[in-house]
């Protein structure tokens, strides 16, 4: 570890109170001979503009934080982090992948949009370069060899929240489902529906057809009004939705404008990132979400991660940043296992051998489909001090 980087890392870790990690850094450098392998390039794909830019920023922040806390190294190798704009469709995503491969990336990470992930599948598999996806995770992405995901499978939020909703909403209740007409939303809705179905029949509580809205990621103040009024005309006892980023802000505001005051259930993406800073408390009341992470989880890995993230960025981390941080941790372990002169194929092989990850979300490990086996948590929007926050209520399920 260079003297300058060592000093920066020790100062940050000491400020966070992470004495164990500080001691480890110091011990590594006692004789000044910590092993350093040849430099490697990692390619990070994320939106750099448009409605998903805020999520892309979180993905980049999470990965960079791991590098900051580990002297800009993965597996004992100095890292050059290459970034590419995934854009908003499969064509722009493929261009980003091609660009990073031409620059000699040992491995890839990131990807926010499910349509992009599906669109780049064959390119990644043909190149035989591992991609550790840290957000987009459509259910249809099956039988892959070089694509791993540190996030979730998109039907899991609905599968996690469904039993809780079924218990809370008595027979005779009516649930309206509303979501953008895109691949990710269909996975989410199918996950919820699976929990309300038995022996091939559909529970009457969710028998109303899904209301599919405009899939734009940059909605206007009236984009969802007509669809919301259509949902409310069914006189629902609860609403289940799937929105994120600017779309989530507009949906929450427009739903409140139409005077809906009942419970709103959703995957936690609805209230992640800056969403809660852009809505009023009266607009966000009664929102209950399911997610694989909460910034107030009380474990050692999360205390280190969340404190470091807040210190650098002045805000709490999201599941997007956490999953990207874990993608860096996965690469750290795999590159080290791959040996002193790793190839992409060796890193990919090592990915299946890394075992359990000590993550801010809680310990998890890859399952056979190369996605996490992990816990899901129930969260409710509440005031925490002066700020609206996603307050952890309890565990919902272990899925994967």
């Amino acid at each position: 570890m260079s003297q300058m980087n060592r000093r920066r890392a020790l100062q940050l870790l000491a400020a966070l109170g992470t004495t164990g990690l500080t001691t480890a850094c110091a011990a590594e450098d006692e004789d000044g001979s910590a092993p350093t392998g040849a430099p490697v390039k990692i390619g990070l794909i994320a939106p750099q503009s448009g409605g998903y830019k805020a999520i892309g920023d979180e993905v980049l922040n999470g990965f960079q934080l791991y590098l900051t806390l580990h002297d800009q190294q993965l597996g004992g190798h100095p890292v050059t982090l290459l970034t590419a704009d995934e854009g908003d469709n499969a064509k722009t995503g493929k261009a980003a992948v091609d660009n990073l491969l031409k620059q000699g990336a040992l491995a890839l990470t990131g990807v926010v949009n499910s349509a992009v992930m599906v669109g780049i599948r064959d390119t990644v598999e043909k190149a035989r370069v591992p991609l550790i996806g840290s957000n987009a995770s459509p259910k249809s992405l099956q039988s892959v060899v070089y694509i791993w995901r540190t996030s979730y499978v998109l039907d899991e939020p609905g599968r996690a929240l469904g039993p809780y909703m079924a218990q809370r909403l008595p027979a005779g209740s009516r649930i309206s489902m509303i979501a953008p007409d895109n691949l990710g939303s269909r996975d989410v809705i199918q996950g919820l529906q699976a929990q309300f179905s038995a022996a091939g029949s559909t529970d009457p509580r969710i028998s109303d057809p899904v209301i599919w809205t405009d899939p734009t990621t940059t909605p206007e103040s009236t984009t969802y009004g007509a669809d919301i009024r259509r949902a409310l005309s069914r006189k629902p006892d609860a609403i289940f939705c799937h929105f994120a980023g600017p779309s989530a802000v507009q949906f929450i505001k427009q739903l409140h404008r139409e005077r809906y005051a009942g419970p709103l259930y959703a995957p936690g993406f609805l209230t992640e990132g800056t969403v809660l800073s852009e809505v009023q408390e009266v607009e966000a009341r009664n929102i209950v979400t399911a997610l694989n992470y909460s910034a107030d989880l009380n474990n050692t890995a999360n205390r280190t991660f969340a404190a470091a993230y807040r210190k650098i960025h002045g805000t709490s981390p999201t599941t997007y940043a956490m999953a990207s941080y874990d993608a860096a941790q996965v690469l750290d372990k795999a590159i080290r296992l791959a040996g002193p002169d790793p190839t992409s194929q060796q890193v990919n092989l090592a990915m299946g051998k890394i075992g359990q990850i000590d993550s801010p979300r809680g310990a998890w490990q890859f399952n056979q489909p190369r996605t996490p086996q992990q816990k899901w948590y129930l969260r409710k929007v509440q005031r925490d001090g002066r700020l609206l926050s996603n307050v952890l209520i309890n565990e919902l399920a272990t899925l994967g």
Side-chain angles (χ1 to χ4, degrees):
M1 188 181 286
S2 71
Q3 191 64 27
M4 180 178 294
N5 284 337
R6 174 178 178 273
R7 188 180 301 115
R8 284 172 55 206
L10 291 174
Q11 287 173 343
L12 177 57
L13 293 168
L16 299 173
T18 51
T19 15
L21 288 173
T22 306
T23 304
C25 286
E28 178 188 48
D29 274 326
E30 281 178 352
D31 60 2
S33 59
T36 300
V40 297
K41 297 177 180 179
I42 304 296
L44 188 145
I45 306 158
Q48 296 176 7
S49 61
Y52 287 145
K53 181 183 183 300
I55 299 175
D57 291 343
E58 288 279 316
V59 167
L60 180 59
N61 291 346
F63 201 93
Q64 287 184 324
L65 177 58
Y66 189 90
L67 291 179
T68 296
L69 296 179
H70 294 82
D71 197 32
Q72 304 299 315
Q73 294 189 19
L74 294 177
H77 295 259
V79 170
T80 297
L81 184 62
L82 310 171
T83 60
D85 185 1
E86 77 175 65
D88 59 3
N89 58 61
K91 184 177 179 180
T92 55
K94 184 179 183 304
V97 171
D98 289 340
N99 178 28
L100 294 171
L101 292 176
K102 286 178 182 177
Q103 294 183 67
L106 176 70
L108 305 172
T109 188
V111 188
V112 169
N113 190 327
S114 289
V116 170
M117 179 64 87
V118 171
I120 65 176
R121 176 193 188 279
D122 291 346
T123 300
V124 172
E125 293 287 296
K126 184 177 179 180
R128 301 175 68 199
V129 172
L131 165 62
I132 300 85
S134 54
N135 187 60
S137 193
K139 184 182 178 183
S140 60
L141 194 70
Q142 302 288 341
S143 302
V144 289
V145 175
Y146 283 86
I147 299 178
W148 307 72
R149 289 159 282 177
T150 57
S151 48
Y152 38 72
V153 178
L154 266 170
D155 67 338
E156 291 178 346
R159 289 171 54 201
L161 195 52
Y164 175 82
M165 291 176 60
Q167 183 180 32
R168 297 276 295 183
L169 298 168
S173 299
R174 195 167 192 171
I175 302 168
S176 282
M177 296 172 287
I178 182 168
D181 190 2
N182 58 36
L183 178 61
S185 291
R186 293 186 180 278
D187 282 347
V188 167
I189 294 292
Q190 287 173 8
L192 179 74
Q193 290 173 329
Q195 295 301 320
F196 280 82
S197 300
S201 62
T202 300
D203 190 303
R205 289 174 289 185
I206 58 165
S207 60
D208 289 340
V210 179
I211 296 174
W212 299 109
T213 72
D214 187 334
T216 179
T217 59
T218 54
E220 298 180 353
S221 60
T222 57
T223 297
Y224 305 121
D227 292 319
I228 289 172
R229 288 190 291 273
R230 181 179 163 200
L232 296 184
S233 70
R234 299 172 176 176
K235 302 189 182 306
D237 299 285
I239 289 178
F240 180 86
C241 72
H242 172 56
F243 294 91
S247 300
V249 173
Q250 283 301 328
F251 180 79
I252 291 170
K253 286 181 172 295
Q254 292 173 45
L255 185 65
H256 176 71
R257 194 180 306 148
E258 296 296 334
R259 293 184 170 83
Y260 176 72
L264 178 60
Y265 297 98
F269 322 120
L270 182 73
T271 53
E272 281 292 272
T274 61
V275 172
L276 290 181
S277 67
E278 298 179 49
V279 299
Q280 298 178 18
E281 183 174 4
V282 67
E283 295 170 329
R285 64 186 177 188
N286 298 327
I287 297 179
V288 175
T289 65
L291 202 60
N292 61 343
Y293 175 68
S294 181
D296 56 353
L297 281 169
N298 187 19
N299 61 61
T300 301
N302 190 50
R303 287 194 295 271
T304 299
F305 166 69
Y309 195 94
R310 290 184 183 111
K311 185 174 181 66
I312 293 172
H313 299 289
T315 188
S316 294
T318 63
T319 189
Y320 314 121
M322 177 278 297
S324 192
Y325 180 90
D326 274 4
Q329 184 176 185
V330 163
L331 281 171
D332 192 5
K333 292 176 178 292
I335 291 171
R336 192 175 301 278
L337 284 173
D341 190 19
T343 66
S344 296
Q345 293 76 33
Q346 288 169 340
V347 172
N348 193 69
L349 186 63
M351 297 277 287
K353 303 176 182 178
I354 60 176
Q356 196 170 79
I357 301 297
D358 185 19
S359 168
R361 77 188 84 177
W364 65 271
Q365 60 187 16
F366 284 119
N367 56 20
Q368 189 173 1
R370 289 166 160 72
T371 60
Q373 182 180 25
Q374 63 186 327
K375 292 178 180 178
W376 283 81
Y377 302 97
L378 183 72
R379 312 181 316 170
K380 186 172 184 179
V381 174
Q382 295 178 352
R383 184 167 291 280
D384 186 8
R386 298 177 61 185
L387 300 175
L388 279 182
S389 301
N390 294 298
V391 176
L392 177 66
I393 304 299
N394 55 39
E395 293 181 14
L396 284 171
T398 296
L399 300 176

